[in-house]
Amino acid sequence: MTRPLDICFICGAGLGSSLACQMEAEEVLAAAGIRANLGHEAISGIPGVRADIIVSAENFKPTIEKYELDPDIAFVFLKNIVDKTEIAAKLLPVVQEKEAQA
Amino acid sequence: MSTALTDLITDDRVIIHKDVDTWQQAIAVVAEPLLADGSITIQYVKAMIEAVDRFGPYIVLSPHLVLAHARPDTGVKRQAMSVLTLKHPISFNHPENDPVDIVFCLAAVDADSHIQALKEFVAIAGDRPLQERLVAAGTVAEFQRILRREE
């Protein structure tokens, strides 16, 4: 059994959009039978984030890319952060890839 | 203890069928009841607008719907939520989800005591037919009945 992945959801304040996205992703991952540790954080806290995957909205991409983060972290950027279809389409392949590496 | 969405959105925190010209105005108007009842300070209103100036319109969570919010330390006194429906939809400069016709405002006191309310909110964010009924509501009482699934 591999260890569960750490997935961190990032938004401006770290409590509204990121938490909403985390809730939707939780259901998507559960439906796919994937165990993972989920958390959420404000973008200002991103230098301290230890995660396998960071999930955020498209418009945070330029800001997030400015930080020098661990090169092993995979990124998922979403247009609609509460759209389960988009979350499943973009997040699940990255999760599977990460699990294959582990 | 987690509070339900409908406990946070009391009658005096619902503003219906208002006309605004800009997204900044929409945020200022939806925040008015929370400012009036002391849940937030004027600094929080500025922080919500600045967050969009800085990071873009990510608060447009799904098509036509906004969740305005900022960090608790920018002026939240008490957990609360308010909501505004727009008579004429406006643009938040979002590439996919404009125009916006319903704006919620979240004042959270920490990272997770609003989890229950946010869960209920996410269900609304994914339910456009329900939002259309909320936007069409002509009175606060009607809005509340739809929000509380009483009709």
Side-chain angles (χ1 to χ4, degrees):
Chain A
M1 191 66 201
T2 53
R3 71 170 175 89
L5 294 173
D6 293 317
I7 306 176
C8 188
F9 297 79
I10 303 283
C11 75
L15 52 80
S17 348
S18 55
L19 185 51
C21 186
Q22 178 184 328
M23 287 173 180
E24 295 296 83
E26 205 167 357
E27 291 183 25
V28 168
L29 293 169
I34 294 161
R35 281 196 322 131
N37 298 321
L38 309 186
H40 54 280
E41 183 62 66
I43 191 154
S44 56
I46 207 173
V49 168
R50 299 277 167 270
D52 299 291
I53 302 169
I54 284 177
V55 181
S56 192
E58 285 271 4
N59 56 287
F60 287 109
K61 201 172 169 182
T63 315
I64 289 175
E65 283 173 346
K66 273 184 215 143
Y67 291 101
E68 285 187 19
L69 298 172
D70 183 341
D72 289 338
I73 298 177
F75 292 91
V76 173
F77 292 105
L78 302 166
K79 284 179 182 168
N80 276 333
I81 60 164
V82 290
D83 179 353
K84 285 200 194 82
T85 313
E86 188 184 353
I87 293 171
K90 291 186 174 170
L91 179 60
L92 293 181
V94 177
V95 166
Q96 278 148 12
E97 197 179 310
K98 279 276 169 196
E99 285 189 333
Q101 286 168 13
Chain B
M1 188 54 202
S2 206
T3 319
L5 181 81
T6 47
D7 291 335
L8 297 179
I9 303 179
T10 48
D11 289 354
D12 55 333
R13 292 173 178 163
V14 180
I15 304 169
I16 59 163
H17 280 192
K18 186 98 176 169
D19 251 333
V20 298
D21 295 320
T22 64
W23 63 263
Q24 291 92 338
Q25 238 177 52
I27 292 177
V29 170
V30 73
E32 271 169 17
L34 304 187
L35 208 49
D37 69 21
S39 303
I40 58 170
T41 66
I42 190 73
Q43 198 201 347
Y44 189 69
V45 183
K46 288 183 191 153
M48 288 191 287
I49 293 171
E50 276 165 18
V52 176
D53 282 335
R54 193 160 165 215
F55 301 116
Y58 70 95
I59 59 171
V60 193
L61 287 203
S62 55
H64 317 297
L65 174 141
V66 161
L67 178 65
H69 63 287
R71 297 180 64 82
D73 58 8
T74 56
V76 177
K77 298 285 176 201
R78 183 171 49 175
Q79 176 171 263
M81 277 184 90
S82 57
V83 59
L84 160 71
T85 62
L86 297 173
K87 204 195 280 176
H88 297 102
I90 60 158
S91 167
F92 270 70
N93 303 314
H94 192 283
E96 321 276 330
N97 296 343
D98 276 334
V100 166
D101 59 15
I102 185 161
V103 182
F104 288 82
C105 177
L106 168 69
V109 287
D110 55 38
D112 47 30
S113 54
H114 54 293
I115 278 185
Q116 181 54 38
L118 205 59
K119 266 197 181 124
E120 295 166 49
F121 173 78
V122 166
I124 297 169
D127 187 345
R128 185 58 190 161
L130 175 68
Q131 290 163 36
E132 281 169 355
R133 293 177 58 218
L134 290 169
V135 171
T139 64
V140 170
E142 188 188 349
F143 182 99
Q144 291 286 45
R145 282 197 299 272
I146 298 165
L147 189 71
R148 289 156 206 264
R149 319 282 169 117
E150 287 164 6
E151 60 178 47

